[in-house]
Amino acid sequence: MSARKLKVATCSLAGCFGCHMSFLDMDEQIVDLIELIEFDRSPLTDIKTIGACDIGLIEGGLCNDENVHVLQQFRQHCRILVAVGACAINGGVPALRNRFTVQECLEESYLHGVGVVEAQIPADPELPSLLPQVIPIQNVVKVDFFLPGCPPPATAFVEIIQAVRDNREPRLDYPMRRFD
Ligand code: SF4
């Protein structure tokens, strides 16, 4: 086993953070994992910029131009990039909007939707621009491994990390996938 800890970065793009929650739901296995890895950019560290990493774990698909920018940064800096969960792999729940145009989605959300009080579509230039469709991350960058599930179980994250450490293919058999 290498003495150097693997550097891991994570991000949530068009996702719900459920995959991140699952990653942390590993009980006492986390003690062993802490010996193996250290986190770089991640919602878990609140580090906003990414350095050279061994593994990038991407939760969520791409719904706006900021998502694309973050993903490209991860691809640039991570030796191994992993699509984590259904949303990253096929768009998942956010891709339900793909039946509609962006304008229809905005009007439903901000003008006509249930509970709208002050009807106005936000137009601040600092807001990221929505893509016409929600798309999987492999449509934009090369992905090295796919971790299926919604969310994948914690043991699947451990298997990916151990596989990278051991320089082998991960063994993601059926028990390593979960669709609640
Ligand atoms: Fe949430 Fe499931 Fe998507 Fe993960 S795959 S971000 S748990 S909806």
Side-chain angles (χ1 to χ4, degrees), residues 1-5 35:
M1 183 174 98
S2 161
R4 183 179 73 81
K5 288 186 176 184
E35 298 297 316

Side-chain angles (χ1 to χ4, degrees), residues 64-125:
N64 62 39
D65 57 0
E66 185 185 31
N67 291 161
V68 174
H69 177 66
V70 171
L71 177 64
Q72 287 170 332
Q73 283 188 322
F74 268 66
R75 180 66 278 180
Q76 204 179 341
H77 289 88
C78 299
R79 185 165 59 85
I80 301 291
L81 200 67
V82 184
V84 176
C87 294
I89 295 171
N90 61 30
V93 173
L96 290 174
R97 82 154 159 93
N98 291 352
R99 297 177 54 207
F100 306 96
T101 66
V102 168
Q103 188 61 26
E104 286 170 333
C105 292
L106 290 171
E107 289 179 7
E108 177 64 19
S109 300
Y110 294 104
L111 301 183
H112 313 307
V114 175
V116 171
V117 179
E118 293 180 26
Q120 184 180 13
I121 295 176
D124 191 296

Side-chain angles (χ1 to χ4, degrees), residues 12 14-20 22 59-61 84-88 91-94 149-152:
S12 181
C16 75
F17 275 92
C19 289
H20 273 78
S22 184
E59 169 191 305
V84 176
C87 294
V93 173
C150 181

Side-chain angles (χ1 to χ4, degrees), residues 144-167:
D144 298 294
F145 295 123
F146 296 85
L147 207 51
C150 181
T155 47
F157 289 91
V158 175
E159 169 58 15
I160 282 274
I161 290 165
Q162 288 177 337
V164 172
R165 175 200 62 185
D166 299 341
N167 199 25

Side-chain angles (χ1 to χ4, degrees), residues 26-45:
M26 62 177 65
D27 302 324
E28 70 276 4
Q29 276 186 294
I30 203 161
V31 176
D32 295 332
L33 200 67
I34 290 303
E35 298 297 316
L36 279 185
I37 65 170
E38 58 187 341
F39 285 106
D40 193 83
R41 174 178 173 160
S42 170
L44 307 172
T45 58

Side-chain angles (χ1 to χ4, degrees), residues 119-179:
Q120 184 180 13
I121 295 176
D124 191 296
E126 289 204 2
L127 290 174
S129 299
L130 292 174
L131 302 179
Q133 302 253 289
V134 176
I135 54 175
I137 65 170
Q138 68 270 18
N139 283 23
V140 172
V141 297
K142 174 180 177 286
V143 172
D144 298 294
F145 295 123
F146 296 85
L147 207 51
C150 181
T155 47
F157 289 91
V158 175
E159 169 58 15
I160 282 274
I161 290 165
Q162 288 177 337
V164 172
R165 175 200 62 185
D166 299 341
N167 199 25
R168 61 168 173 80
E169 289 287 312
R171 292 185 281 268
L172 297 170
D173 302 330
Y174 193 73
M176 294 279 187
R177 306 169 201 177
R178 181 174 64 200
F179 295 90

